[in-house]
Amino acid sequence: MTHNSLLNLLRGRFAAAIAKLAGDDPSSVDPQLRAAGEPRFGDYQCNAAMALAKLLGAKPRDVAQQIVAAVDLAEDGVSVVEPLEIAGPGFINIRLSNAFLGRYLCEIPAPPAASPTAPPTADGAAPDRSEQRGALRTGWQASLADRLGMPPVSRPQRIVLDYSSPNIAKQMHVGHLRGTILGDCLARTLEFVGHTVIRQNHVGDWGTQFGKLIAWYTEHPVPAGDDSDAVLDAIEADYRAANKRFDADPAFAAAARQAVGRLQGGDAAAREIWQRLYAQSQRAFNEVYARLGATLTDADIRGESFYNDRLAATVDELRRRFSPRGGAEAQTGPRMEVREDQGALCVFLYDTTGQPCFRNAEGGEFPIMIQKSDGAFLYASTDLAAVRYRVQELKADRVIYVIGNEQSRHLQMLFMAARLAGWAPERVRLEHAGHGLVLGPDGKKLTGRHGGSVHLRALLDEAVERARALMEEIDRRREGDETAATLDDEERRRVAACVGIGAVKYADLSHDRNTDYRFDWDKLLALKGNTAPYMLYAYARIRSIYRRAAERAGTIEPYGREAALELGEPAERALALRLARFRETIEVVAADLTPNVLCGYLYELAGDFMRFYEACPVLAAPDESTRLARMRMCDLSARTLKLGLGLLGIETVERM
């Protein structure tokens, strides 16, 4: 049974029954099965009778009755459901049997033995992120070894995931927050379900701005030092000075333009300056990734410079294959034309009627510019080369761009051009996992105290400081409580970091990624509601209950992990159903790229557990078998919360 989610198990059974009635292949049948909106309608509903009634020329309720009679809902001698009910015009209400639900959860194996973490450095400190590439990714995979019995997908895909994409010679700022957090959560989830995920960090490391910096650093020393923030602040200040001089000094402007050509042509001096800027920037965003727990490594970088040698061939192929054609043929489509417009080489896209697919604000044709009049390539040229590389060389089945919604039209044009060029056949899914903006409490774009972008490192520093203050407030409230956890200074620092960073990440992931959200410190660090502090506290509390029960029994873990589950109380059954729905939740997140669905599930799970704990005594259970069964529910709840938060990229704490 553990090889299927509840939803898929029921879909398969109802699809087979409907196929018998309709004379179809079960694989082509949609049983229209979904989770029930309210408990009074059962756990799931099958709504296929109405559509099938039209096909059979019968009354929907009669068809529903035929489905009920035809469906096989036995599993290893146990009825999967209670007697089915038909409601309204033909809705079939489905309530899982307690016996099946208990067995379904009991088939989840105990967690494996703890896997070793990434090796420490010689002095015993955690491994340096920039030196031991992959340690963090290996670490999270080891921490998620407890799969709760969830098997990998039967048809794994190669998925290229484009996310984060900071700019060389600039600080990472709050604008990079959503793309990095969302992308990393999706990478973790897609890998967890069994796909091969190829991360691509498309860093901004090419273009005219580097010509200005190279010209500037030909005359000035490149900033250096151990403080990444200070070094990048100095580089950004130098860029502003170089930009100002570019506008005022024709000789410097000419030198900057020549520097771009020298860089692209492989000039040793220009490359040496560029590489020093690259190294400083790489060290800085590796530090941010480490703090965020992002699983990106240096090996995942495929910046704009990577495609430099591919741009000419990409543009030449488009020019050769899609030059303008005359006559009636030119009016068919969809199609694209590559032609010059005001001296620049552009890609124009047309629909099946020959009308432009994209227009500018004035109503004119809006093309993709792929080469300037001076022969220089553009960002769009790089993006086209990247699609070609990802599909043809990386052999991607699915390419996902975790980029802001403001890039939506650009990606629509990019995807259409790639399809028409034949670089991305229809079997390959090209997706934009767009996201909104991070706003301040006033509803405007989040900015720093002086109006500029909020540096990501500064925001994370503040998150940890606020979490530390929150913990001090919790300690004051719990004075005199002998059961409260006592943390030493080192553990307190670690918990503050987990809570602070986790709060920032969870606040982002719990929102629909397509919407903007307001960044509010009080809300994201609240101990009540759908927040990371609440979720982390819920996990720590469950682990505390489990430890205390084991201590009272005079044993150590595992305790109760082999007990049969008794679901006699409504709160027990509600918690069991929520735990059993974890798999179908992960399937939705992986298919629809919706981390907020996982956050909503975990929040509901924590609430169901608290209601279970209040209604069903664990430590003071009436007998040993009940205590063991409830201990197993505690164990499964804690493991599910830990796994779910891990997929979000949030580290749990055992005590808080």
Side-chain angles (χ1 to χ4, degrees), residues 79 291 357 422 534:
S79 176
R291 296 188 67 186
C357 293
Y534 171 74

Side-chain angles (χ1 to χ4, degrees), residues 62-78:
D62 292 343
V63 172
Q65 188 61 55
Q66 293 178 53
I67 295 173
V68 168
V71 68
D72 177 10
L73 289 170
E75 183 79 21
D76 296 333
V78 174

Side-chain angles (χ1 to χ4, degrees), residues 22-23 135 201 247 378 415 540 565 591 614 617 638:
N201 194 354
D247 294 334
L378 298 103
F415 294 168
L565 292 180
E614 291 170 0

Side-chain angles (χ1 to χ4, degrees), residues 594-628:
T594 48
N596 62 301
V597 170
L598 177 55
C599 292
Y601 168 86
L602 294 175
Y603 178 57
E604 291 168 344
L605 172 61
D608 283 337
F609 178 83
M610 294 306 176
R611 286 184 284 273
F612 156 80
Y613 185 65
E614 291 170 0
C616 305
V618 178
L619 301 178
D623 53 65
E624 182 65 8
S625 65
T626 302
R627 182 182 304 110
L628 289 172

Side-chain angles (χ1 to χ4, degrees), residues 87-100:
F91 301 116
I92 302 173
N93 293 339
I94 305 163
R95 181 179 173 83
L96 299 168
S97 71
N98 285 359
F100 168 78

Side-chain angles (χ1 to χ4, degrees), residues 107-382:
E107 286 193 0
I108 297 175
S115 301
T117 57
T121 53
D123 62 359
D128 183 79
R129 176 87 167 87
S130 62
E131 293 181 2
Q132 295 193 5
R133 295 184 296 186
L136 186 60
R137 192 181 302 175
T138 301
W140 89 261
Q141 289 171 337
S143 72
L144 297 181
D146 182 8
R147 301 181 56 86
L148 296 175
M150 188 170 173
V153 292
S154 58
R155 295 182 179 179
Q157 296 179 315
R158 288 176 65 83
I159 300 177
V160 171
L161 193 64
D162 180 325
Y163 69 102
S164 192
S165 306
N167 295 306
I168 296 299
K170 292 183 180 180
Q171 290 268 26
M172 287 186 73
H173 55 77
V174 73
H176 297 107
L177 180 65
R178 296 205 79 177
T180 303
I181 291 173
L182 283 164
D184 207 64
C185 172
L186 296 178
R188 289 167 178 259
T189 303
L190 292 166
E191 273 185 336
F192 174 76
V193 301
H195 299 299
T196 297
V197 176
I198 304 170
R199 295 161 175 80
Q200 296 282 275
N201 194 354
H202 193 82
V203 301
D205 63 357
W206 215 237
T208 56
Q209 70 269 32
F210 290 100
K212 297 174 184 179
L213 283 169
I214 290 169
W216 180 266
Y217 289 128
T218 301
E219 303 173 0
H220 304 83
V222 178
D226 296 328
D227 188 332
S228 297
D229 276 353
V231 171
L232 284 185
D233 282 344
I235 292 173
E236 288 187 20
D238 285 341
Y239 178 73
R240 289 191 294 271
N243 208 35
K244 185 175 180 180
R245 186 173 169 189
F246 182 90
D247 294 334
D249 184 347
F252 181 81
R257 294 189 185 97
Q258 291 171 2
V260 174
R262 290 193 291 115
L263 176 63
Q264 294 177 345
D267 176 77
R271 283 295 177 103
E272 194 272 337
I273 293 173
W274 176 79
Q275 286 167 353
R276 290 176 65 185
L277 296 173
Y278 206 113
Q280 292 286 8
S281 302
Q282 195 172 24
R283 185 180 66 171
F285 55 67
N286 274 340
E287 291 171 1
V288 172
Y289 291 151
R291 296 188 67 186
L292 283 173
T295 55
L296 283 165
T297 71
D298 294 347
D300 302 321
I301 294 174
R302 288 294 182 273
E304 294 164 356
S305 61
F306 174 81
Y307 300 99
N308 184 54
D309 296 336
R310 302 166 187 263
L311 300 182
T314 299
V315 170
D316 287 347
E317 180 180 339
L318 291 175
R319 189 202 303 263
R320 185 181 69 256
R321 293 177 53 204
F322 299 98
S323 59
R325 293 171 293 182
E329 185 182 6
Q331 301 305 311
T332 61
R335 64 183 179 83
M336 68 176 169
E337 281 187 7
V338 178
R339 65 176 188 267
E340 288 190 2
D341 185 71
Q342 300 181 42
L345 191 65
C346 300
V347 173
F348 292 84
L349 301 165
Y350 299 96
D351 63 20
T352 54
T353 68
Q355 293 298 308
C357 293
F358 301 94
R359 296 184 182 274
N360 57 30
E362 292 74 35
E365 293 186 65
F366 186 76
I368 307 174
M369 188 185 301
I370 57 174
Q371 191 170 24
K372 295 166 68 174
S373 58
D374 62 2
F377 299 111
L378 298 103
Y379 295 124
S381 321
T382 302

Side-chain angles (χ1 to χ4, degrees), residues 105 575-582 601 605 633 636-637 640:
L105 291 178
L575 178 58
L577 179 61
R578 186 75 63 192
L579 289 166
R581 282 178 166 168
F582 177 73
Y601 168 86
L605 172 61
M633 294 286 278
L636 287 172
S637 298
T640 303

Side-chain angles (χ1 to χ4, degrees), residues 467-478 527:
R468 188 175 290 117
L470 174 67
M471 292 177 62
E472 292 173 356
E473 175 61 27
I474 293 172
D475 287 346
R476 285 192 290 271
R477 293 179 187 177
R478 297 194 304 193
L527 279 168

